[in-house]
Amino acid sequence: MSRRGTGMEAVAKIVGAGLVVVGGAVVTKRWYADQAASGTPKEQKVVRSFYERVVLVLGVRRVPRLYFAAVANAEYRSDQHVVVINVSWFKQMLDFYCNDDVCVQSVLLGILAHELGHALTTNIDRSTAAGRWRSELAADWHAGRALASLGLPCDDLEHVIAHLSSHGSDTHPPGHQRAEAIRQGYWRGLLTA
């Protein structure tokens, strides 16, 4: 069933291999997923303003471009020097974990700082599991440092990260190690602020 609508309110009708109809236009499924993940222009504006704050606080000289797309959550792509954000994931995650504005700011800014932390630590070899873990912990450290510099607490971000990667994986260390890296970066940020 298809009906006309505006933007993502339109119901998509699958019309063939990889194609859907949205608001009368035929588009790829990937484009449709990316648009849903991208959020509204207002949501993108909020994320961009937070991103700019973190760039300044961390002193990023070669700033990665910020994109919105249907990735799992958020990621830094070193080969393209971009940070890619799924706004839908952010909204769901913030709704689940946060019940006040301070938590929302801390977690959103902290995750953006984590992704920018990857851009600051490109010298770490990620070809092994140990290297990937080092990279993640270094990015978490930068997230903690950014929160301290912004005058925000780090406990909400620690809590979220500890739950999101509680057991760890081939690419991410266990949550308790990541929370410790955030805390260490936070204390460093307090000492240098």
Side-chain angles (χ1 to χ4, degrees):
M1 173 182 220
S2 173
R3 67 175 170 86
R4 288 198 178 267
T6 58
M8 293 299 102
E9 291 82 44
V11 173
K13 176 183 175 188
I14 299 173
V15 294
L19 298 176
V20 296
V21 175
V22 179
V26 177
V27 298
T28 66
K29 286 182 183 178
R30 176 68 186 185
W31 180 90
Y32 180 71
D34 282 349
Q35 295 308 305
S38 296
T40 66
K42 183 178 179 181
E43 291 164 341
Q44 287 182 9
K45 186 176 180 180
V46 169
V47 172
R48 283 187 196 285
S49 69
F50 277 49
Y51 188 76
E52 291 166 4
R53 286 174 63 191
V54 175
V55 164
L56 291 173
V57 165
L58 290 178
V60 180
R61 292 192 180 129
R62 188 171 163 245
V63 180
R65 294 191 70 166
L66 178 64
Y67 287 100
F68 302 95
V71 294
N73 42 51
E75 62 186 46
Y76 170 69
R77 296 180 182 166
S78 60
D79 59 331
Q80 300 168 345
H81 194 58
V82 298
V83 170
V84 186
I85 301 296
N86 181 331
V87 175
S88 295
W89 173 80
F90 263 112
K91 290 188 316 189
Q92 291 171 1
M93 187 257 315
L94 293 171
D95 285 346
F96 184 79
Y97 287 105
C98 294
N99 59 10
D100 62 49
D101 289 343
V102 172
C103 177
V104 169
Q105 288 184 38
S106 296
V107 173
L108 180 55
L109 288 164
I111 292 174
L112 291 170
H114 170 92
E115 297 308 330
L116 284 166
H118 284 301
L120 294 171
T121 58
T122 56
N123 60 327
I124 297 175
D125 179 11
R126 294 183 50 89
S127 64
T128 65
R132 288 187 289 275
W133 279 28
R134 276 193 299 281
S135 176
E136 292 301 325
L137 293 172
D140 289 332
W141 185 91
H142 284 291
R145 183 171 67 92
L147 290 177
S149 298
L150 290 163
L152 291 166
C154 69
D155 55 335
D156 290 319
L157 179 63
E158 287 177 28
H159 174 77
V160 169
I161 293 297
H163 279 94
L164 290 177
S165 60
S166 59
H167 300 292
S169 67
D170 186 44
T171 59
H172 290 76
H176 71 278
Q177 290 181 17
R178 297 188 65 195
E180 179 60 28
I182 292 166
R183 198 171 309 110
Q184 288 176 5
Y186 187 81
W187 286 109
R188 173 58 77 150
L190 288 176
L191 292 173
T192 58

Short mmCIF file of all heavy atoms in Angstrom, two decimals, residues 164-186:
data_model
loop_
_atom_site.label_atom_id
_atom_site.label_comp_id
_atom_site.label_asym_id
_atom_site.label_seq_id
_atom_site.Cartn_x
_atom_site.Cartn_y
_atom_site.Cartn_z
N LEU A 164 26.29 -0.52 26.82
CA LEU A 164 26.31 -0.81 25.38
C LEU A 164 27.36 -1.84 25.01
O LEU A 164 27.18 -2.59 24.04
CB LEU A 164 26.54 0.48 24.57
CG LEU A 164 25.39 1.48 24.57
CD1 LEU A 164 25.78 2.73 23.81
CD2 LEU A 164 24.13 0.87 23.98
N SER A 165 28.47 -1.86 25.73
CA SER A 165 29.51 -2.85 25.41
C SER A 165 29.90 -3.62 26.67
O SER A 165 31.08 -3.77 26.98
CB SER A 165 30.72 -2.17 24.76
OG SER A 165 31.29 -1.21 25.62
N SER A 166 28.91 -4.10 27.38
CA SER A 166 29.14 -4.73 28.68
C SER A 166 30.14 -5.88 28.62
O SER A 166 31.02 -5.98 29.47
CB SER A 166 27.82 -5.19 29.29
OG SER A 166 27.18 -6.10 28.43
N HIS A 167 30.04 -6.74 27.62
CA HIS A 167 30.93 -7.90 27.57
C HIS A 167 32.13 -7.70 26.65
O HIS A 167 33.05 -8.51 26.68
CB HIS A 167 30.15 -9.14 27.13
CG HIS A 167 29.03 -9.47 28.06
ND1 HIS A 167 29.24 -9.91 29.35
CD2 HIS A 167 27.69 -9.40 27.90
CE1 HIS A 167 28.08 -10.10 29.94
NE2 HIS A 167 27.12 -9.80 29.09
N GLY A 168 32.11 -6.68 25.84
CA GLY A 168 33.19 -6.47 24.89
C GLY A 168 33.02 -7.34 23.66
O GLY A 168 32.13 -8.19 23.59
N SER A 169 33.87 -7.12 22.69
CA SER A 169 33.83 -7.87 21.43
C SER A 169 35.21 -7.82 20.80
O SER A 169 36.16 -7.33 21.40
CB SER A 169 32.80 -7.23 20.48
OG SER A 169 33.26 -5.95 20.07
N ASP A 170 35.29 -8.29 19.59
CA ASP A 170 36.56 -8.25 18.85
C ASP A 170 36.97 -6.80 18.58
O ASP A 170 38.15 -6.50 18.47
CB ASP A 170 36.40 -9.01 17.53
CG ASP A 170 37.72 -9.13 16.77
OD1 ASP A 170 38.74 -9.45 17.41
OD2 ASP A 170 37.71 -8.90 15.55
N THR A 171 36.00 -5.91 18.49
CA THR A 171 36.30 -4.52 18.16
C THR A 171 36.27 -3.57 19.35
O THR A 171 36.87 -2.50 19.30
CB THR A 171 35.30 -3.99 17.11
OG1 THR A 171 33.97 -4.10 17.64
CG2 THR A 171 35.41 -4.77 15.80
N HIS A 172 35.55 -3.93 20.42
CA HIS A 172 35.40 -3.02 21.56
C HIS A 172 35.69 -3.75 22.87
O HIS A 172 35.18 -4.85 23.08
CB HIS A 172 33.98 -2.45 21.62
CG HIS A 172 33.69 -1.49 20.53
ND1 HIS A 172 33.43 -1.89 19.24
CD2 HIS A 172 33.61 -0.14 20.53
CE1 HIS A 172 33.21 -0.82 18.49
NE2 HIS A 172 33.31 0.25 19.25
N PRO A 173 36.46 -3.12 23.76
CA PRO A 173 36.73 -3.73 25.06
C PRO A 173 35.48 -3.76 25.93
O PRO A 173 34.50 -3.07 25.64
CB PRO A 173 37.79 -2.82 25.68
CG PRO A 173 37.97 -1.67 24.79
CD PRO A 173 37.14 -1.86 23.57
N PRO A 174 35.50 -4.53 27.02
CA PRO A 174 34.36 -4.57 27.93
C PRO A 174 34.03 -3.19 28.49
O PRO A 174 34.92 -2.34 28.65
CB PRO A 174 34.79 -5.53 29.04
CG PRO A 174 35.92 -6.31 28.47
CD PRO A 174 36.58 -5.43 27.45
N GLY A 175 32.76 -2.99 28.82
CA GLY A 175 32.29 -1.70 29.29
C GLY A 175 33.03 -1.15 30.49
O GLY A 175 33.28 0.05 30.56
N HIS A 176 33.42 -2.01 31.44
CA HIS A 176 34.12 -1.49 32.63
C HIS A 176 35.47 -0.88 32.26
O HIS A 176 35.90 0.11 32.84
CB HIS A 176 34.26 -2.57 33.70
CG HIS A 176 35.23 -3.66 33.37
ND1 HIS A 176 34.88 -4.72 32.56
CD2 HIS A 176 36.51 -3.83 33.72
CE1 HIS A 176 35.94 -5.51 32.44
NE2 HIS A 176 36.93 -5.00 33.13
N GLN A 177 36.16 -1.45 31.27
CA GLN A 177 37.43 -0.88 30.82
C GLN A 177 37.20 0.45 30.10
O GLN A 177 37.97 1.40 30.27
CB GLN A 177 38.16 -1.85 29.89
CG GLN A 177 38.70 -3.06 30.59
CD GLN A 177 39.45 -3.98 29.63
OE1 GLN A 177 39.83 -3.60 28.53
NE2 GLN A 177 39.63 -5.23 30.06
N ARG A 178 36.15 0.50 29.33
CA ARG A 178 35.84 1.74 28.60
C ARG A 178 35.44 2.84 29.57
O ARG A 178 35.85 4.00 29.42
CB ARG A 178 34.74 1.47 27.57
CG ARG A 178 35.20 0.47 26.50
CD ARG A 178 34.23 0.35 25.39
NE ARG A 178 34.17 1.63 24.68
CZ ARG A 178 33.20 1.96 23.83
NH1 ARG A 178 32.22 1.12 23.58
NH2 ARG A 178 33.22 3.13 23.24
N ALA A 179 34.65 2.50 30.60
CA ALA A 179 34.25 3.49 31.60
C ALA A 179 35.48 4.02 32.33
O ALA A 179 35.58 5.22 32.62
CB ALA A 179 33.26 2.87 32.59
N GLU A 180 36.44 3.16 32.61
CA GLU A 180 37.68 3.60 33.27
C GLU A 180 38.47 4.56 32.37
O GLU A 180 39.02 5.55 32.84
CB GLU A 180 38.54 2.38 33.64
CG GLU A 180 39.84 2.73 34.32
CD GLU A 180 39.69 3.51 35.62
OE1 GLU A 180 38.66 3.35 36.32
OE2 GLU A 180 40.61 4.29 35.94
N ALA A 181 38.53 4.28 31.07
CA ALA A 181 39.22 5.17 30.14
C ALA A 181 38.53 6.53 30.09
O ALA A 181 39.21 7.58 30.05
CB ALA A 181 39.28 4.54 28.75
N ILE A 182 37.21 6.54 30.10
CA ILE A 182 36.46 7.81 30.12
C ILE A 182 36.82 8.58 31.38
O ILE A 182 37.10 9.78 31.34
CB ILE A 182 34.94 7.55 30.04
CG1 ILE A 182 34.56 7.00 28.67
CG2 ILE A 182 34.14 8.82 30.35
CD1 ILE A 182 33.16 6.40 28.59
N ARG A 183 36.82 7.88 32.52
CA ARG A 183 37.12 8.52 33.81
C ARG A 183 38.55 9.09 33.83
O ARG A 183 38.78 10.20 34.31
CB ARG A 183 36.94 7.51 34.94
CG ARG A 183 36.79 8.11 36.30
CD ARG A 183 36.40 7.09 37.38
NE ARG A 183 35.25 6.28 37.00
CZ ARG A 183 35.30 4.98 36.69
NH1 ARG A 183 36.44 4.33 36.74
NH2 ARG A 183 34.22 4.33 36.35
N GLN A 184 39.51 8.35 33.29
CA GLN A 184 40.89 8.84 33.24
C GLN A 184 41.00 10.10 32.38
O GLN A 184 41.69 11.06 32.75
CB GLN A 184 41.82 7.75 32.73
CG GLN A 184 42.04 6.64 33.72
CD GLN A 184 42.90 5.52 33.14
OE1 GLN A 184 43.41 5.60 32.02
NE2 GLN A 184 43.03 4.45 33.91
N GLY A 185 40.35 10.08 31.22
CA GLY A 185 40.35 11.27 30.37
C GLY A 185 39.68 12.44 31.04
O GLY A 185 40.11 13.59 30.93
N TYR A 186 38.61 12.16 31.78
CA TYR A 186 37.88 13.20 32.50
C TYR A 186 38.79 13.87 33.54
O TYR A 186 38.85 15.09 33.60
CB TYR A 186 36.65 12.58 33.17
CG TYR A 186 35.73 13.59 33.80
CD1 TYR A 186 34.81 14.28 33.01
CD2 TYR A 186 35.77 13.86 35.16
CE1 TYR A 186 33.95 15.20 33.57
CE2 TYR A 186 34.91 14.79 35.73
CZ TYR A 186 34.00 15.45 34.93
OH TYR A 186 33.15 16.38 35.49
#
